[in-house]
Amino acid sequence: MKVIFYTPPKEAADWLRDFAHAMPEAELREWQPGDDAPADFAVVWRPPREMFTPRAGLRAVFNLGAGVDAILALEREHPGTLPRDAQLIRIEDGGMAPQMAEYVGHAVLRYLRRFDEYDILQAERRWKVLEPHPRETFTVGILGMGVLGSHVARALAPFGMPVRGYSRSPRDIEGVKTYAGEAQFDAFLSGVKVLVNLLPHTPDTHDVLDARVFSKLAHGAYLINVARGAHLVEQDLLDALASGQIAAATLDVFREEPLSANHPFWRQPRITITPHSSALTLRAESVAQVAAKIAALARGESVTGVVDLARGY
Ligand code: NAP
Ligand code: GLV
């Protein structure tokens, strides 16, 4: 079995070593420009388009991350990039769900207990007790109830604030009030105090975090965007912060990454920035998951995590 591999060069050697260890029977090679020799499986993160065209025999492309938007954007811009008969398979959790729960949990509790405001008071050397927000009305709304969103919702529920979840199809999660489909979108948003975005980036969800959505939330709401920068209309967030409709935001993802040094977000004290680090693809978990799925496909079995190309996730 032939497996071709691509990640940005800095990380490639460690991944290749671990894959070689997990799949000793596979002929594993790192893709180099000009390599169009046959392969059964490709394992990639942010691959160049040239890696796919033309390549005989490819049965599946494994994406070393949860979001497949970068690969699907290649396909949208250059139709036919992805081999027609190959499945696109993404990482499911792979160690990201607990990291996401820590990151979002930390941000939610930071806002609930007003640590963001204490940071400012400390910088001014001011001793002042702030009333905590009432937990009962500190409603957390999570956009996207997939692998990551549902894990985050379950992690937050025991803290006692109301937790809501929104997805395309109905979900049933203990302790979480769930909403599904566009018809229930406004009811989901109404009165939400912390909006957490864990949607995949698709044509349907592009620019979803905009002025209209912000206007439906509770006044002085908080935004946590850990999905993709292209979900957020940046000027609408700056305007909502200026008006007070949004009190503060924690952003892990941006339209342009790395965020350029002159981007206005750096100068906005109510925005907390992290460098797309909320949930990293963990090598050991991901290698084990991909190797097990390759073995299953080689035995003729089906696997989970197959991307629906029409839906875009
Ligand atoms: P997932 O399991 O595919 O879940 C996606 C969820 O979004 C599902 O609940 C789905 O609804 C819902 N959804 C999709 N399109 C929708 C629409 N138009 N309207 C309403 N709901 C919609 O994905 P995941 O593994 O949880 O990952 C989610 C995203 O997180 C990834 O795509 C990636 O962009 C991002 N991410 C970011 C980081 C980071 O470091 N910042 C790390 C990992 C992932 P159904 O349940 O009905 O299908
Ligand atoms: C990271 O952003 C991922 O999609 O896994």
Side-chain angles (χ1 to χ4, degrees):
M1 171 207 324
K2 295 184 172 58
V3 180
I4 191 164
F5 176 85
Y6 179 88
T7 64
K10 204 163 58 120
E11 303 151 30
D14 291 338
W15 282 95
L16 274 168
R17 183 201 57 226
D18 290 0
F19 270 118
H21 192 253
M23 300 187 294
E25 71 295 351
E27 279 177 51
L28 187 64
R29 69 180 193 274
E30 187 178 3
W31 179 78
Q32 303 293 345
D35 174 351
D36 59 1
D40 303 296
F41 300 103
V43 181
V44 302
W45 181 240
R46 297 189 188 281
R49 181 164 73 96
E50 300 72 44
M51 181 174 179
F52 294 113
T53 46
R55 185 175 309 285
L58 205 57
R59 295 173 55 188
V61 175
F62 286 87
N63 179 61
L64 286 177
V68 289
D69 45 322
I71 292 192
L72 293 185
L74 277 183
E75 176 64 27
R76 261 197 309 280
E77 283 158 28
H78 308 280
T81 297
L82 282 178
R84 195 178 315 179
D85 299 326
Q87 293 182 311
L88 176 59
I89 301 172
R90 69 193 194 88
I91 293 288
E92 299 171 282
D93 185 344
M96 286 184 276
Q99 295 175 71
M100 208 46 110
E102 290 160 3
Y103 183 103
V104 174
H106 171 270
V108 169
L109 296 179
R110 176 170 178 250
Y111 291 136
L112 174 71
R113 296 303 308 266
R114 304 179 67 172
F115 273 56
D116 56 324
E117 293 169 77
Y118 281 122
D119 283 347
I120 294 166
L121 290 172
Q122 181 169 344
E124 295 168 356
R125 301 183 186 197
R126 287 175 61 204
W127 180 278
K128 183 178 169 198
V129 175
L130 303 171
E131 289 269 309
H133 290 290
R135 187 179 300 109
E136 316 74 59
T137 54
F138 205 77
T139 303
V140 181
I142 302 173
L143 289 167
M145 280 283 102
V147 173
L148 301 180
S150 54
H151 188 92
V152 169
R154 284 192 185 93
L156 284 173
F159 283 101
M161 61 282 260
V163 180
R164 295 181 188 170
Y166 176 73
S167 52
R168 246 156 60 130
S169 49
R171 295 276 166 148
D172 185 11
I173 299 176
E174 197 183 333
V176 180
K177 190 163 167 32
T178 54
Y179 300 73
E182 270 176 49
Q184 294 187 6
F185 192 39
D186 285 0
F188 160 81
L189 293 170
S190 175
V192 160
K193 191 71 180 175
V194 187
L195 185 65
V196 178
N197 179 33
L198 268 167
L199 288 167
H201 178 228
T202 69
D204 287 342
T205 66
H206 186 79
D207 283 348
V208 63
L209 303 173
D210 65 0
R212 195 197 81 85
V213 161
F214 299 151
S215 74
K216 301 281 174 197
L217 307 176
H219 185 74
Y222 300 91
L223 173 68
I224 301 171
N225 187 19
V226 278
R228 285 294 183 262
H231 285 130
L232 174 65
V233 181
E234 296 184 340
Q235 189 57 50
D236 286 3
L237 173 61
L238 291 169
D239 293 347
L241 285 163
S243 73
Q245 175 58 18
I246 297 285
T250 296
L251 306 178
D252 184 48
V253 286
F254 303 89
R255 285 186 180 256
E256 183 198 355
E257 295 182 2
L259 192 62
S260 73
N262 58 8
H263 196 286
F265 284 174
W266 290 113
R267 295 190 296 279
Q268 169 47 263
R270 307 295 293 161
I271 294 181
T272 299
I273 291 172
T274 52
H276 202 142
S277 56
S278 55
L280 304 176
T281 299
L282 297 184
R283 203 167 60 243
E285 280 87 340
S286 306
V287 166
Q289 185 176 122
V290 170
K293 287 186 180 178
I294 287 179
L297 291 174
R299 290 192 300 270
E301 297 167 9
S302 58
V303 298
T304 58
V306 177
V307 173
D308 178 333
L309 298 183
R311 258 180 2 176
Y313 69 99

